[in-house]
Amino acid sequence: MSVTGPDFISLQVSDLERSAEFYQHHLGLVRSQAGPPHAVVFETKPIAFALRDRIPGVGFGAGTRPGLGVALWLQAPDSQDIHDRLLAAGVAIASPPIDGPFGRTFTFADPDGYLITLHGKA
């Protein structure tokens, strides 16, 4: 037996509705009807992506860097357009767009400070 690969990704967030709105509005993710009441699951493929209320003991706030050491990359064929919309909305861009082996790639910070990388090619 062996692991076949990632199957589900979720981020703990400080304000579930605020974060869900951010991912819907800025990235165009669509909420799934599935999922428990403490989480928002999005209709992403091939791997499910969700946001969930934080587990007790997990802190957010000034000086914290959630997910430090973890790289979360999402594919978006229109990554430059999304970058431009995020920038216009005042979202912090951690790394500006570059053209690399995964297409047009950039990194932004979500409402809790998670660094998310978007890239254009599969």
Side-chain angles (χ1 to χ4, degrees):
M1 292 185 139
S2 65
V3 173
T4 60
D7 184 52
F8 188 84
I9 297 170
S10 71
L11 299 177
Q12 294 181 55
V13 297
S14 61
D15 182 327
L16 183 59
E17 191 55 36
R18 176 188 70 168
S19 291
E21 286 294 324
F22 176 88
Y23 282 89
Q24 283 182 259
H25 177 75
H26 292 296
L27 303 185
L29 295 182
V30 176
R31 288 184 193 216
S32 170
Q33 297 303 312
H38 65 274
V40 172
V41 179
F42 294 101
E43 294 179 1
T44 57
K45 297 197 181 344
I47 298 170
F49 176 68
L51 305 170
R52 61 156 293 141
D53 286 329
R54 66 181 166 185
I55 296 170
V58 173
F60 291 99
T64 62
R65 300 232 0 236
L68 185 62
V70 174
L72 179 56
W73 287 48
L74 302 175
Q75 183 185 1
D78 56 349
S79 61
Q80 182 65 53
D81 292 338
I82 293 172
H83 166 271
D84 296 347
R85 290 195 315 264
L86 290 171
L87 188 63
V91 173
I93 304 297
S95 299
I98 61 165
D99 291 316
F102 300 103
R104 195 77 171 151
T105 303
F106 74 96
T107 302
F108 66 92
D110 84 349
D112 283 303
Y114 286 103
L115 294 180
I116 310 295
T117 298
L118 287 186
H119 67 96
K121 281 203 261 184

